């Protein structure tokens, strides 16, 4: 089993948010009774993006690894992933296959480190794999790779997608065959470092009563390798039609965008970060705006929460991760699946991961 990450033994007031959560999780991990089992236990996995390709579920997670060269911090330096695996689920037996390494950091010319949460799409017989990584200057960008198989291996493009930045790419295919890429993440995801299209080493946050920093999106080009338009903001509104504010961190966007469509409406779901919810909002366009509706997944063991939603054989599923496999270590996670229910009004029934 993995060795515990280093946590600074400073006073509680001096600890980062991630360190405080880690210490709490390590103490109480044994008391969690998980409802769902990890999809795989041979490796640590996180950030599961699930899709149905050829009538079968494929899951594109990040691959957590043990590391002892950094401490836990709010910038996510302890998430040092360096390759990707692809998982698939057998329709009849629910047996999960790990197809092995699909893409490695060594094969991405423009990237220096940290292969974080990815996603995938299919178009005209080809499969496209979208992933974030730090470029050679340490700035997070989004790359794309392609394959003739949903399980890879994938071959990365020579450079990242022009005008891309931050983390957590998620692809949505609309009914008309259009594809959209959603992305963005605060803190370690560097979204707060981008202002008026320029990257700065200094964080830039609006005042607490101002609209929260938004997720980003753009329509993809026909060849799936670039943006077909300028990057746009995803605005989340409250029940009065006002933008969710910076101080409203129970509802504001932090990272982990996902979009699915149900009964003709667009559901934008995301993580609230330091409040650890998977929340959602509904709109009438892939561009939004989206009106906040509630929580999909209550907080799980571990600092991060990241998910995807997919329909397969008439049922909806939520894929998510937690840190139960490693006994509460926030950087060593495992992906899981549970059924998701839309009620008669289109609302999603909130999910608890533990008994």
């Amino acid at each position: 089993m993995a060795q515990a990450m280093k946590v600074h033994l400073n006073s509680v007031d001096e600890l980062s948010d991630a360190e405080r959560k880690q210490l709490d999780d390590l103490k109480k991990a044994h008391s969690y009774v998980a409802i769902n089992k990890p999809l795989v236990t041979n490796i640590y996995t996180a950030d599961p993006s699930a899709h149905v390709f050829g009538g079968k579920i494929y899951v594109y997670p990040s691959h957590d690894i043990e590391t002892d060269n950094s401490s836990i911090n709010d910038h996510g330096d302890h998430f040092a992933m360096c390759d990707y695996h692809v998982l698939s689920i057998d329709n009849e037996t629910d047996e999960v296959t790990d197809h092995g390494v699909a893409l490695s950091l060594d094969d991405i010319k423009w990237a220096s480190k940290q292969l974080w949460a990815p996603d995938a799409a299919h178009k005209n017989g080809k499969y496209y794999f979208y992933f974030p990584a730090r470029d050679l200057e340490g700035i997070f960008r989004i790359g794309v790779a392609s394959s003739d198989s949903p399980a890879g291996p994938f071959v990365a493009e020579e450079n990242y997608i022009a005008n891309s930045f931050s983390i957590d790419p998620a692809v949505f295919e609309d009914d008309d065959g259009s594809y959209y890429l959603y992305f963005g993440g605060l803190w370690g995801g560097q979204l707060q470092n981008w202002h008026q299209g320029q990257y700065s080493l200094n964080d830039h946050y609006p005042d607490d009563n101002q609209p929260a920093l938004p997720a980003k999106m753009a329509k993809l080009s026909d060849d799936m390798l670039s943006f077909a338009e300028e990057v746009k903001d995803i605005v989340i509104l409250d029940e009065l039609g006002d933008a969710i504010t910076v101080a409203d961190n129970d509802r504001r966007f932090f990272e982990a965008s996902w979009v699915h469509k149900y009964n003709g409406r667009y559901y934008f779901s995301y993580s609230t970060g330091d409040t650890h919810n998977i929340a959602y909002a509904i709109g009438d366009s892939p561009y939004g705006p989206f009106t906040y509706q509630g929580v999909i997944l209550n907080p799980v063991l571990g600092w991060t929460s990241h998910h995807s939603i997919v329909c397969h054989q008439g049922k909806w599923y939520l894929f998510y991760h937690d840190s139960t496999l490693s006994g509460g270590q926030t950087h060593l996670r495992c992906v899981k699946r549970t059924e998701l229910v839309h009620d008669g009004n289109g609302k999603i029934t909130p999910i608890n991961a533990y008994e």
Side-chain angles (χ1 to χ4, degrees), residues 85 176 180 205 228 237 239 291 294 355:
H85 287 230
D176 64 358
Y180 301 89
Y205 292 101
L237 305 176
E239 63 279 3
T291 301
E355 294 180 4

Side-chain angles (χ1 to χ4, degrees), residues 33-355:
V33 179
I35 295 172
N36 303 293
K37 296 180 180 180
L39 294 187
V40 293
T41 58
N42 60 306
I43 58 174
Y44 290 108
T45 52
D47 313 317
S49 293
H51 292 276
V52 177
F53 295 139
K56 186 176 185 177
I57 293 179
Y58 287 84
V59 184
Y60 301 86
S62 53
H63 175 202
D64 285 346
I65 60 173
E66 299 179 46
T67 178
D68 58 3
N69 61 2
S70 64
S71 300
I72 291 173
N73 57 58
D74 289 344
H75 297 292
D77 293 332
H78 45 298
F79 298 110
M81 301 87 97
C82 60
D83 64 23
Y84 293 106
H85 287 230
V86 177
L87 311 177
S88 65
I89 304 176
D90 186 273
N91 286 342
E92 303 299 326
T93 66
D94 268 353
E95 181 179 352
V96 179
T97 299
D98 176 359
H99 294 274
V101 176
L103 182 64
S104 174
L105 181 63
D106 292 339
D107 299 320
I108 305 168
K109 294 182 179 180
W110 59 266
S112 63
K113 62 180 180 179
Q114 291 182 300
L115 300 182
W116 286 7
D119 196 16
H122 171 254
K123 183 178 182 180
N124 296 334
K126 208 165 190 67
Y127 298 87
Y128 298 90
F129 185 78
Y130 299 87
F131 60 94
R134 289 183 186 264
D135 66 13
L136 302 182
E137 297 180 345
I139 301 172
F140 267 112
R141 304 288 187 172
I142 295 171
V144 58
S146 58
S147 174
D148 293 327
S149 167
F154 293 90
V155 178
E157 294 294 304
E158 291 286 319
N159 208 345
Y160 54 79
I161 296 174
N163 300 318
S164 70
F165 56 96
S166 198
I167 60 170
D168 292 357
V171 188
F172 170 69
E173 179 187 359
D174 208 348
D175 299 332
D176 64 358
S178 297
Y179 292 79
Y180 301 89
L181 190 75
Y182 299 80
F183 60 96
L186 297 176
W187 295 12
Q190 300 179 340
L191 192 58
Q192 72 281 355
N193 297 109
W194 288 88
H195 183 57
Q196 296 182 342
Q198 299 294 321
Y199 178 82
S200 170
L201 291 174
N202 298 317
D203 292 349
H204 176 86
Y205 292 101
D207 294 335
D208 282 355
N209 63 349
Q210 295 299 306
L213 289 174
K216 305 293 183 178
M217 63 89 68
K219 187 176 183 179
L220 286 168
S221 60
D222 288 340
D223 65 6
M224 303 291 283
L225 302 178
S226 62
F227 295 152
E229 61 187 4
E230 292 185 0
V231 172
K232 295 175 170 56
D233 293 342
I234 290 295
V235 178
I236 302 172
L237 305 176
D238 63 16
E239 63 279 3
L240 300 177
D242 298 321
I244 298 290
T245 62
V246 171
D248 189 356
N249 63 348
D250 282 326
R251 299 192 293 178
R252 64 91 167 85
F253 170 81
F254 187 96
E255 62 185 1
S257 300
W258 189 262
V259 173
H260 76 280
K261 199 171 184 178
Y262 181 78
N263 283 350
R265 305 200 74 193
Y266 299 85
Y267 287 62
F268 178 77
S269 49
Y270 57 96
S271 169
T272 60
D274 55 337
T275 49
H276 314 292
N277 293 319
I278 296 296
Y280 75 108
I282 298 178
D284 296 315
S285 163
Y287 293 95
F290 297 91
T291 301
Y292 181 87
Q293 301 295 315
V295 172
I296 297 174
L297 178 66
N298 290 314
V300 298
L301 187 68
W303 197 96
T304 65
S305 196
H306 198 117
H307 71 297
S308 60
I309 296 169
V310 66
C311 186
H312 183 233
Q313 297 181 334
K315 289 186 177 181
W316 286 91
Y317 295 97
L318 175 77
F319 286 78
Y320 66 99
H321 71 230
D322 69 10
S323 295
T324 52
L325 184 61
S326 67
Q329 295 190 63
T330 197
H331 71 298
L332 298 176
R333 298 159 291 181
C334 54
V335 298
K336 300 181 175 184
R337 176 179 69 163
T338 190
E339 191 168 347
L340 179 141
V341 175
H342 302 81
D343 69 17
N345 296 316
K347 291 267 195 174
I348 295 174
T349 303
I351 295 168
N352 291 315
Y354 312 101
E355 294 180 4

